[in-house]
Amino acid sequence: MSGDTAIATVCLSGTLEDKLGAAAAAGFGGVEIFENDLIASRRSPSEIRRLCADLGLTIDLYQPFRDFEAVPPDVLRANLRRARRKFDLMAELGADTVLVCSSVSPDAVDDDDDLAAEQLRELAELAGERGIRVAYEALAWGRFVNTYEHAWRIVRRADHPALGVCLDSFHILSRRSDPRAIRTIPGEKIFFLQLADAPLLDMDVLHWSRHHRLFPGQGAFDLAAFTGHVLAAGYQGPLSLEVFNDVFRQADPGPAAVDAMRSLLALRESVGTLDVPAAPRLDGHAFAELGVSGAVLADLGFTHIGTHRSKPVQLWQQGAARLLVNSAAEEGSISALGLVSADPRGSARRAEALLAPVLPREHCPGEADLAAVAAPDGTEIFFCGNDEWLRDFVPSGASSAGSGITGIDHVALTQPFDHFDEATLFYRSVLGLSPEAVAEFAAPFGLVRSRAVGDQDVRLTLDSALVRRGEWAPGVPSPQHVAFACEDALAVARTLRENGAPLLEIPGNYYDDLDARFDLPFAAELRENSVLYDRDPSGEFLHFFTELVGSRVFFEVVQRIGGYRGCGVVNTPVYMTAHRERRLSLA
Amino acid sequence: MSGDTAIATVCLSGTLEDKLGAAAAAGFGGVEIFENDLIASRRSPSEIRRLCADLGLTIDLYQPFRDFEAVPPDVLRANLRRARRKFDLMAELGADTVLVCSSVSPDAVDDDDDLAAEQLRELAELAGERGIRVAYEALAWGRFVNTYEHAWRIVRRADHPALGVCLDSFHILSRRSDPRAIRTIPGEKIFFLQLADAPLLDMDVLHWSRHHRLFPGQGAFDLAAFTGHVLAAGYQGPLSLEVFNDVFRQADPGPAAVDAMRSLLALRESVGTLDVPAAPRLDGHAFAELGVSGAVLADLGFTHIGTHRSKPVQLWQQGAARLLVNSAAEEGSISALGLVSADPRGSARRAEALLAPVLPREHCPGEADLAAVAAPDGTEIFFCGNDEWLRDFVPSGASSAGSGITGIDHVALTQPFDHFDEATLFYRSVLGLSPEAVAEFAAPFGLVRSRAVGDQDVRLTLDSALVRRGEWAPGVPSPQHVAFACEDALAVARTLRENGAPLLEIPGNYYDDLDARFDLPFAAELRENSVLYDRDPSGEFLHFFTELVGSRVFFEVVQRIGGYRGCGVVNTPVYMTAHRERRLSLA
């Protein structure tokens, strides 16, 4: 009757044909068609049926009704008249399940379960004659019926084979309803399952639902547990996504559908209905590849230790921090990350199973064959095992004492506006990195959303302008950076300054405020060396920055003391402003 | 001590210097400096003081404190230490009023007014010695103190000359507090007044406040009444804007500051502290000027009745609808609107007083001297009195029966994302047009916000993509259109179809749904002629569309029956999709 996975057309942008094409290309087996999408289409229902068949999509749900039940007799008559028309349409469309949401209408006369059951029974009778099933769903903001338990009581009371419930994770989890009682509903009476995640927001639930839903794994709901209850009840239908999201609604539906499918694959893995190669342990950053000049790296104390045998790539190193300077890469950008995997092939197999685009491998005989995939923003992710790949570089024989940088602490990847939630899911599901909570802060040119993923071994930060950057905001796209670890930020800063490295100057006002807030013994040294400071309950954080060393890249050096977990986000507006002023002074 | 008007730096985008420059250019007399803006600045406080003096700005408020009062003794000691540092900084800055918001901290031990008063008194004593005043403000989400009455009780109890209250319209009106009791506070104890408007949103008040504040006149609060109470109490300080808004925060601060100043000028007018020439009555649309081909207008039944004596402009007319076809205008856009004013000079004087850019007048001797101003999106607005301007056109002598179009019903101006609220305020304050409620709907490529301004004589609709249009969405910038009035939409549609006008075909699915919803006697004719339908409690609405007749312009013909007030927004996704499909089929 349907594929294992479905997606509501309302999740995606474009015309109905755009949406169906994107869903099919991403591998969905079925769709829920939202009535407005069909109404606006030039294709008749039978043409849409044919198109779906050609695309390999079943039409698992049609959603034309609101405010059906518990109404006065004359309203019921009009509703049944409309239902007949819509059932005719569904026959043409080849859809056999209709969604009926609990009423929010002022026409709903009474909190009367008997009346609701009786009228839904009448609808089910009409539907059943035509081989159609009615799935009744409690909206979280339903006037009288707003919990799944209540919807199920009414369905049970109506007692008609063509009437069952539709469960929607958002409506249930947004109200903090306990989903465990789902297990008491007979599986064959769960006619449909709609899945949506969401961030925890303290707002009117209707607004929350209509604007802020996310694909599973992008938000804060425990959808694995929820879905587990539904499957344990014996539900046999598809896992179907119904996600109203302002951003997805206007994004290219192709990548959005892939993101959606990835969320379902990861969910199916977590409930045990899909085998995906497990995520091998990631042990650290092998390298970052970027398009900057080697001279800057030399100023930072890096040594050019090798040159690739067949590619225009230099290897620079200091401590465990390795940078690849690719003269063919886009100037100033971070084009690739190498991550140390306990099982590089396994990492690649998992990435591919979770729909990450596998990059073509180009290597000469005898060179390391590194598996690589593309992240949503196009950054190439290489999985490196041992240090075999280093043999592809002809050693330069050079060495130097370095400046005290010991490795890569994290890499900050600025995300395009539409890819923030997609990137979170990518790194979480494909690489197995845990996301931290989202932070929002006021940058000089607008609000920025920031989220760290990973842990002390592999840490990435994802930043994105919250609204967008308009024509006004300078520095679009925003710069990315590599943050190096060290054990004594003040000492490294002094050394680099002596080397003539282009360090970013931090204004005195920042240090005056630091003095007002804290009584730090090394306050004067921080000021003198333009080193910033933060603390949390478990430790301290010292960090400093270079100026922009390419059109969109700079470096940071950080020192972690104790168990400090963050990345000094509180200081971001300060260095962003300093970068901006520096650019203005150069312009 | 200060100008009449001030703006908080947090309202605007950019570095502190960007913000100060924009505020001064828009004519503000003072600023509130937000601490984070100062901390990130390379200029020392005394340099900022000098910059402000050079720009003619006073620094009316400094905002470095949170969570000061009602704390345990050790926290108080740290807070006082910090206060001393900040008072030193304020002396350097030349700011004499400090804002202290009611505590939201878990450190606040108790709902103890005596303790709060005692500690604030201690702070005021410290401040008073240095000639600084402490303005205490109740945050709407303050832990214990969250109403202005409560803040005033504590200030009264502390009874110190250097301690008063700060009133913020958002904190008071968002809680639906009754502002009338403000009149009972002695004016000299109201140390500061912060003004912000907001739309009525049902969400956590902190989130509402931090993201959705608006300038006065852009939202739903009655700021004239509120400000009236504060002035009646005897408040002598500036009217100061403190607006946290995600969009303004990332927009060009120049126009944003002008928008902000316009909001204060209109507010001062409404409370009677500023004389602005009153808005003369607008009696209708005189013309719309656009860059389309005359052939399309002929197909629509318009006649080319005249040619401008000195400009490359043709005048086309049908009924009372007049279009100017300007071969020098941007292809496909609506470049100007002519509005019939009872006093064109008065309209222009008001517009200028409210900071609308007055357009240079270019006319030959003997030609009409029309006053014109630029709307925020660049559309030129001409004020026309009688029909004198028509004499600038050499009559062609042509005439025709027309197709039944009788005039201009409304003009739909698509607004750039950052200018939606600014446009509302512009049309409301400058032209005196009343805004309707904002509607949001799901267009094929994302959510769209839509708002009508005006009435039956002059009606404009403002549409804007709610999030933005990304790389994906086609047809950027979105098309604009002129909607013509008629008395029989079906008859006009038939005539135009016979004329070969490029009418937009509406899919059959739309009419199948219309049949399911209504039982209309003229349903078949609607379908046959691609005429859409809507109704509201007071009337009905029939309308149809042309295809795009330029890169971003099309026409609509509407028929209003009874008292229908809207513009058929419910059908917008249908015609948007049809436009999109038509474009695809041409591509």
Side-chain angles (χ1 to χ4, degrees):
Chain A
M1 173 201 105
S2 78
D4 287 327
T5 53
I7 185 167
T9 54
V10 80
C11 302
L12 302 172
S13 184
T15 62
L16 181 55
E17 291 79 2
D18 293 329
K19 296 171 184 211
L20 295 175
F28 282 94
V31 290
E32 303 177 26
I33 292 187
F34 224 63
E35 174 153 71
N36 288 345
D37 285 319
L38 182 70
I39 286 175
S41 171
R42 273 185 312 168
R43 292 178 203 245
S44 69
S46 57
E47 286 168 338
I48 292 295
R49 175 190 204 150
R50 206 150 46 233
L51 176 62
C52 286
D54 289 347
L55 290 168
L57 294 170
T58 53
I59 300 177
D60 296 339
L61 191 77
Y62 189 62
Q63 193 171 148
F65 280 119
R66 296 266 152 173
D67 302 330
F68 180 86
E69 83 286 11
V71 291
D74 58 320
V75 177
L76 179 68
R77 262 195 311 280
N79 287 355
L80 286 170
R81 175 180 175 281
R82 193 162 171 224
R84 272 184 215 100
R85 303 282 191 131
K86 296 300 174 184
F87 290 162
D88 291 347
L89 186 157
M90 287 174 65
E92 218 190 310
L93 203 53
D96 69 357
T97 306
V98 64
L99 182 70
V100 175
C101 297
S102 64
S103 179
V104 300
S105 166
D107 285 343
V109 273
D110 225 342
D111 186 5
D112 181 340
D113 286 2
D114 284 328
L115 184 63
E118 183 190 314
Q119 295 185 343
L120 285 171
R121 191 173 207 293
E122 201 164 339
L123 182 68
E125 187 60 32
L126 200 64
E129 289 164 7
R130 298 155 192 244
I132 288 174
R133 309 186 312 160
V134 176
Y136 181 58
E137 172 183 276
L139 295 178
W141 55 89
R143 183 136 179 249
F144 300 118
V145 179
N146 44 43
T147 65
Y148 74 92
E149 295 97 329
H150 195 173
W152 166 231
R153 277 203 305 279
I154 290 173
V155 165
R156 207 166 37 183
R157 188 165 310 192
D159 189 26
H160 191 285
L163 182 67
V165 294
C166 172
L167 301 177
D168 179 311
S169 62
F170 182 87
H171 291 297
I172 294 169
L173 300 176
S174 66
R175 293 181 57 100
R176 280 85 170 156
S177 292
D178 184 345
R180 282 175 298 183
I182 290 172
R183 290 171 178 258
T184 65
I185 306 176
E188 70 277 9
K189 293 303 272 184
I190 304 176
F191 279 7
F192 210 73
L193 172 63
Q194 294 180 316
L195 294 168
D197 203 343
L200 294 180
L201 295 174
D202 182 5
M203 60 172 62
D204 164 47
V205 68
L206 174 61
H207 188 89
W208 185 16
S209 171
R210 292 276 169 85
H211 297 275
H212 300 287
R213 290 186 178 207
L214 292 169
F215 294 125
Q218 296 178 338
F221 291 160
D222 185 350
L223 286 177
F226 176 85
T227 308
H229 296 312
V230 181
L231 296 180
Y235 173 68
Q236 300 283 338
L239 306 188
S240 186
L241 296 168
E242 195 199 32
V243 170
F244 305 87
N245 180 291
D246 291 1
V247 175
F248 303 157
R249 259 201 152 126
Q250 59 91 60
D252 187 336
V258 170
D259 183 33
M261 178 53 92
R262 180 178 297 131
S263 80
L264 276 189
L265 296 177
L267 178 65
R268 291 180 57 203
E269 177 191 29
S270 66
V271 296
T273 61
L274 183 73
D275 264 344
V276 179
R281 204 181 63 247
L282 297 177
D283 287 326
H285 292 270
F287 64 82
E289 176 170 323
L290 24 75
V292 295
S293 96
V296 169
L297 301 184
D299 289 345
L300 292 173
F302 279 76
T303 306
H304 173 198
I305 64 160
T307 302
H308 197 275
R309 296 180 191 279
S310 64
K311 294 173 188 163
V313 175
Q314 297 180 343
L315 171 61
W316 290 72
Q317 181 163 351
Q318 180 173 190
R322 295 191 183 111
L323 298 176
L324 300 186
V325 176
N326 187 338
S327 58
E330 194 191 338
E331 189 278 321
S333 73
I334 297 176
S335 52
L337 295 183
L339 302 176
V340 180
S341 168
D343 171 11
R345 293 272 161 261
S347 288
R349 274 196 304 274
R350 177 176 180 80
E352 191 169 3
L354 292 172
L355 308 180
V358 175
L359 296 170
R361 296 173 183 173
E362 291 160 6
H363 63 101
C364 295
E367 291 180 2
D369 176 19
L370 292 178
V373 297
D377 66 353
T379 305
E380 301 178 353
I381 310 285
F382 285 83
F383 300 110
C384 307
N386 48 40
D387 287 349
E388 192 197 12
W389 63 278
L390 290 171
R391 281 188 238 131
D392 295 349
F393 291 84
V394 181
S396 70
S399 72
S400 81
S403 62
I405 284 171
T406 58
I408 292 179
D409 183 87
H410 65 277
V411 179
L413 297 174
T414 311
Q415 297 300 303
F417 168 85
D418 334 25
H419 294 295
F420 186 83
D421 294 304
E422 183 186 353
T424 299
L425 177 64
F426 176 88
Y427 290 109
R428 176 185 210 161
S429 63
V430 173
L431 300 190
L433 300 175
S434 304
E436 304 273 333
V438 173
E440 274 179 23
F441 60 88
F445 306 103
L447 297 179
V448 170
R449 181 176 288 173
S450 178
R451 176 172 228 169
V453 296
D455 55 24
Q456 62 209 33
D457 291 322
V458 172
R459 189 187 276 116
L460 304 174
T461 63
L462 310 173
D463 294 331
S464 189
L466 183 60
V467 179
R468 65 147 195 191
R469 299 188 152 236
E471 305 81 48
W472 147 250
V476 179
S478 327
Q480 304 182 309
H481 74 274
V482 180
F484 301 115
C486 77
E487 287 176 3
D488 184 345
L490 287 165
V492 176
R494 271 190 295 264
T495 304
L496 293 187
R497 202 165 291 274
E498 283 161 18
N499 284 3
L503 300 192
L504 185 70
E505 278 195 45
I506 299 300
N509 294 342
Y510 172 81
Y511 296 99
D512 293 344
D513 179 60
L514 212 55
D515 292 345
R517 289 192 292 139
F518 306 112
D519 199 5
L520 299 173
F522 46 85
E525 290 169 270
L526 292 175
R527 185 189 294 260
E528 202 175 306
N529 292 287
S530 280
V531 173
L532 298 104
Y533 178 82
D534 190 29
R535 66 162 59 152
D536 69 12
S538 50
E540 292 173 293
F541 189 67
L542 277 69
H543 58 148
F544 64 90
F545 297 86
T546 69
E547 291 171 4
L548 284 170
V549 297
S551 57
R552 56 172 309 212
V553 75
F554 61 93
F555 297 106
E556 179 181 8
V557 178
V558 316
Q559 176 191 357
R560 295 175 181 277
I561 302 171
Y564 181 91
R565 286 172 53 83
C567 292
V569 164
V570 67
N571 295 322
T572 306
V574 176
Y575 80 70
M576 279 187 170
T577 305
H579 273 148
R580 152 83 168 158
E581 298 205 324
R582 175 69 184 158
R583 259 194 309 241
L584 281 182
S585 74
L586 293 175
Chain B
M1 172 201 102
S2 77
D4 288 327
T5 53
I7 185 167
T9 54
V10 80
C11 302
L12 302 172
S13 182
T15 63
L16 180 55
E17 291 79 0
D18 292 330
K19 296 171 184 210
L20 295 175
F28 282 93
V31 289
E32 303 178 25
I33 291 186
F34 223 64
E35 175 153 71
N36 288 345
D37 285 318
L38 183 70
I39 286 174
S41 171
R42 275 184 311 167
R43 292 178 202 246
S44 70
S46 58
E47 285 168 339
I48 292 296
R49 175 189 204 150
R50 209 152 43 234
L51 175 62
C52 285
D54 290 347
L55 290 168
L57 293 170
T58 54
I59 300 178
D60 295 339
L61 191 77
Y62 189 62
Q63 192 170 152
F65 280 119
R66 297 265 152 172
D67 302 328
F68 181 85
E69 82 286 12
V71 291
D74 58 319
V75 178
L76 179 68
R77 263 196 311 279
N79 287 354
L80 285 170
R81 174 179 176 281
R82 191 161 173 227
R84 271 184 215 97
R85 303 281 191 132
K86 297 300 175 183
F87 290 163
D88 290 348
L89 186 157
M90 288 175 65
E92 218 191 309
L93 203 54
D96 70 356
T97 306
V98 64
L99 181 69
V100 175
C101 296
S102 63
S103 179
V104 299
S105 167
D107 286 342
V109 274
D110 226 342
D111 186 6
D112 181 340
D113 286 2
D114 284 329
L115 183 65
E118 183 191 314
Q119 295 185 343
L120 285 170
R121 192 172 206 294
E122 202 164 338
L123 182 69
E125 187 62 30
L126 199 67
E129 290 165 5
R130 299 156 190 244
I132 288 175
R133 309 185 312 160
V134 176
Y136 180 58
E137 173 183 276
L139 295 178
W141 55 91
R143 181 135 181 252
F144 300 118
V145 179
N146 45 42
T147 66
Y148 75 93
E149 295 97 328
H150 194 174
W152 167 232
R153 278 202 304 280
I154 290 173
V155 165
R156 207 166 36 184
R157 189 166 309 194
D159 189 26
H160 191 287
L163 182 67
V165 293
C166 172
L167 301 177
D168 180 311
S169 62
F170 181 88
H171 291 297
I172 294 168
L173 300 177
S174 65
R175 293 181 56 98
R176 279 85 171 157
S177 294
D178 184 344
R180 282 175 299 182
I182 290 171
R183 291 171 177 257
T184 65
I185 306 175
E188 69 277 9
K189 293 303 274 184
I190 304 176
F191 280 7
F192 210 74
L193 172 62
Q194 293 179 317
L195 294 169
D197 203 342
L200 293 180
L201 296 174
D202 182 6
M203 60 172 63
D204 164 46
V205 68
L206 174 61
H207 187 91
W208 184 17
S209 171
R210 292 275 170 84
H211 297 274
H212 300 286
R213 289 186 179 207
L214 292 170
F215 294 125
Q218 295 177 339
F221 291 161
D222 185 351
L223 286 176
F226 176 86
T227 308
H229 297 311
V230 181
L231 297 180
Y235 173 69
Q236 300 283 336
L239 306 188
S240 185
L241 297 169
E242 194 199 34
V243 170
F244 305 87
N245 179 291
D246 292 0
V247 175
F248 303 158
R249 258 198 152 129
Q250 59 89 60
D252 186 335
V258 170
D259 182 33
M261 178 52 93
R262 180 177 297 132
S263 79
L264 277 188
L265 295 176
L267 178 65
R268 291 180 58 205
E269 178 191 30
S270 66
V271 296
T273 62
L274 183 73
D275 265 344
V276 179
R281 204 183 63 247
L282 296 178
D283 287 326
H285 292 270
F287 64 82
E289 177 172 322
L290 24 75
V292 296
S293 95
V296 168
L297 301 184
D299 289 345
L300 292 173
F302 280 75
T303 305
H304 174 198
I305 64 159
T307 302
H308 197 275
R309 296 180 190 280
S310 64
K311 293 173 188 160
V313 175
Q314 296 181 342
L315 171 62
W316 290 71
Q317 181 163 349
Q318 179 173 191
R322 293 191 184 109
L323 299 176
L324 300 185
V325 176
N326 187 338
S327 58
E330 193 192 337
E331 188 278 320
S333 74
I334 297 176
S335 53
L337 296 183
L339 302 176
V340 180
S341 168
D343 172 10
R345 294 272 160 265
S347 289
R349 274 195 305 273
R350 177 176 180 80
E352 190 168 4
L354 292 173
L355 309 179
V358 175
L359 296 170
R361 295 173 184 173
E362 292 162 5
H363 63 102
C364 295
E367 291 179 1
D369 176 20
L370 292 178
V373 297
D377 66 355
T379 304
E380 300 180 353
I381 310 286
F382 285 83
F383 300 110
C384 308
N386 47 39
D387 289 346
E388 194 196 10
W389 63 278
L390 289 170
R391 281 190 239 129
D392 294 349
F393 292 84
V394 180
S396 69
S399 72
S400 80
S403 62
I405 285 170
T406 58
I408 292 178
D409 182 87
H410 65 278
V411 178
L413 297 173
T414 312
Q415 296 300 302
F417 169 84
D418 333 26
H419 293 295
F420 186 82
D421 294 304
E422 183 185 353
T424 299
L425 177 63
F426 177 88
Y427 290 109
R428 176 185 210 162
S429 64
V430 173
L431 301 190
L433 300 176
S434 304
E436 304 274 332
V438 172
E440 275 179 21
F441 60 88
F445 306 105
L447 297 179
V448 170
R449 182 175 286 170
S450 178
R451 176 172 227 168
V453 296
D455 55 23
Q456 63 209 34
D457 292 322
V458 171
R459 189 187 276 116
L460 304 174
T461 63
L462 310 173
D463 294 332
S464 189
L466 183 60
V467 178
R468 67 150 193 188
R469 299 190 150 233
E471 307 81 47
W472 148 250
V476 180
S478 326
Q480 304 182 309
H481 75 274
V482 180
F484 301 116
C486 77
E487 287 176 2
D488 184 345
L490 287 165
V492 177
R494 271 190 295 264
T495 304
L496 293 187
R497 203 165 291 273
E498 283 161 19
N499 283 4
L503 300 193
L504 185 69
E505 278 196 46
I506 299 299
N509 295 342
Y510 171 81
Y511 296 98
D512 292 344
D513 180 60
L514 213 54
D515 291 345
R517 289 193 293 138
F518 306 111
D519 199 5
L520 299 173
F522 45 86
E525 289 169 272
L526 292 175
R527 184 189 294 258
E528 200 175 307
N529 293 286
S530 281
V531 173
L532 298 104
Y533 178 82
D534 189 30
R535 65 162 61 152
D536 70 12
S538 49
E540 292 173 293
F541 190 66
L542 278 68
H543 57 149
F544 63 92
F545 297 86
T546 69
E547 291 170 6
L548 284 169
V549 296
S551 57
R552 56 172 309 216
V553 75
F554 62 93
F555 297 106
E556 179 181 7
V557 178
V558 317
Q559 176 191 356
R560 295 176 182 276
I561 302 171
Y564 181 91
R565 285 172 54 82
C567 292
V569 164
V570 66
N571 294 323
T572 306
V574 176
Y575 81 70
M576 280 187 169
T577 305
H579 273 147
R580 153 82 169 158
E581 299 205 325
R582 175 69 186 158
R583 258 193 310 240
L584 283 182
S585 74
L586 292 175

